Amino acid sequence: MNFIISETRKAILELYKEEVAESVINIQETRKEFEGQATIVVFPITKISKKSPERTATEIGEYLISHVENVTKFNVVKGFLNLSIAESYFLDQFNNQILAPAFGTFPSNGKKVMVEYSSPNTNKPLHLGHVRNNLLGYSVSELLKAYGYDVVKVNLVNDRGIHICKSMLAWQKWGNGETPESSGLKGDHLVGKYYVIFDKEYKKEIEALKAEGSTEEEAKKNAPLIREAQHMLLAWEQGDEAVVSLWKMMNEWVYAGFNITYKNLGVDFDKFYYESNTYLLGKDTVDEGLKKGVFFKKEDSSVWIDLTADGLDEKLVLRADGTSVYITQDLGTAEMKHDDFKMDESIYVVGNEQDYHFKVLFLILEKLGKEWAKGLYHLSYGMVDLPNGKMKSREGTVVDADELIESMVATAREKTEELGKTNDFPEEDKEELYKNIGLGALKYFLLKVEPKKRLLFNPAESIDFQGNTGPFIQYTHARIKSLLAKAAYKSEIQSPASGQLLPVELEMILQLAKYPAELEIAAKAYSPASLANYLYELAKLFNKFYHEIPPIVKTEEADVKQFRLNLCKKAADVINAGMSILGITSPERM
Ligand code: ARG
């Protein structure tokens, strides 16, 4: 409703003889309890009118009514001017903008953004936390694409370090040559199994040493297993062939396993970075920082940055023995990523336990004078918990991603068959549908919550066909599709409804019209949560619409019927497009 802004500026010029910037005119959706569709907040204008808010609103309202054809009525509530807009305006908007194929798409904005997400360690399978990470990373990428960015999705795999040696060593000692083929285990689960075995055996050694009189700290340091793992890490870094080939073999197992999980989650990447290639990066950056006086060296030769003036503390950037710490690598990797892609923005999707790390990382890059550091953003997210007793893994701590996916699909199967919805489906279509519903439930439940918030994943609630859930929205979509098929709907031929719009028809147009703005809001916030909730509102509204209007199929007037079917079709289109940004499939039948 951009015309309101320009017409209100004209009104102000006319009434108060002053040119005002567009930003002075603040327009909101009219609240449900008042009459009208658009509301002007007049408080900022009273500075110019030098009159009370009520008086100002009334004067502007009167001006708009007599000068602007599409403004038909107004009412004033304190400093709010509620405007009624002519139905013909909304009908035109529906026919000319919303029905057009390009509706809800943005042209390229000429900007490139990198989204780093997933970034697992290769010593164990993915868990529930990774699931939130992957879904968020994927959907933010899709959201930014839809908003006109050129998006590069990257995965920085942590495939080196002591944690990897632990799995390798345990496999060497107790594996008896076990492979994914021989054990029937998914590769990442097999490797994870040995990581757990290492931990158990290591704990036994610690207990034994403590029984002999060692302190906890000594025992942890001196246990033969950890010594051996450290030894292995050294050998690996010196290029020891046996260790390197063991590492390669086990890593292949892990990647094969991860790929299955990624495929099931429906996420993908344009580029993989591996820490085994990047761990030496960042040392040049340390030298640069020393030269620029941003870093300083302590007596033991360790390198630090003093961030006390920024409200943080002193931070180590290189150990005394010259080896890297986590942030050293990230400094180098940030630089390499930028050299590789020259992106305008770079998003790191990483859990909030690393908030401090990213704060420091970005601050250091800024202090080093990297122009591009302004474009870095940590998309931080909170933990995901499960209700007690639900799907906890054998160790009782982490929820395995593959088990979770499997159980979601199983629940979707149960629920759907219980409702008898798929009795006449061919067998393969059924399986496809259960997968779409199960994953739709999981994805929607995790994505409708603001990333920053910690969340409690409730599988039973997520898969309910009623309420703010993925399956409810999916079901609404399928319902619309079957309605369109029954009505033999052909295409989006413009059809002005004759006579007056029903209130619920107007509501539908208004809700649909908001879609591009909702995409923009979500993209700017780097968060799909508001988009998810918008889609829920749309699905809910469609159900109300469908309930309130006379049966479409039986509608006599061709014009009215076509108009209402157009509303249905666009609701389905918007749900489908929005859900696919969330990584969720909208089945045609359910
Ligand atoms: N692999 C790390 C972990 O599992 C996350 C890496 C995040 N990305 C980064 N550039 N530091 O905790």
Side-chain angles (χ1 to χ4, degrees), residues 379-390:
L379 177 44
S380 167
Y381 59 89
M383 284 241 305
V384 193
D385 304 299
L386 269 187
N388 267 335
K390 271 274 169 195

Side-chain angles (χ1 to χ4, degrees), residues 27-74:
I27 302 200
Q28 303 175 348
E29 209 179 310
T30 302
R31 304 228 317 245
K32 291 258 180 295
E33 59 266 42
F34 302 122
E35 192 180 352
Q37 294 81 36
T39 295
I40 303 176
V41 184
V42 297
F43 296 106
I45 307 172
T46 56
K47 283 202 204 82
I48 297 152
S49 68
K50 311 233 163 45
K51 292 179 181 162
S52 72
E54 289 83 354
R55 188 77 223 126
T56 310
T58 308
E59 287 179 358
I60 295 173
E62 275 161 1
Y63 175 94
L64 292 176
I65 290 247
S66 53
H67 291 81
V68 184
E69 208 187 312
N70 281 329
V71 179
T72 56
K73 274 197 266 179
F74 77 90

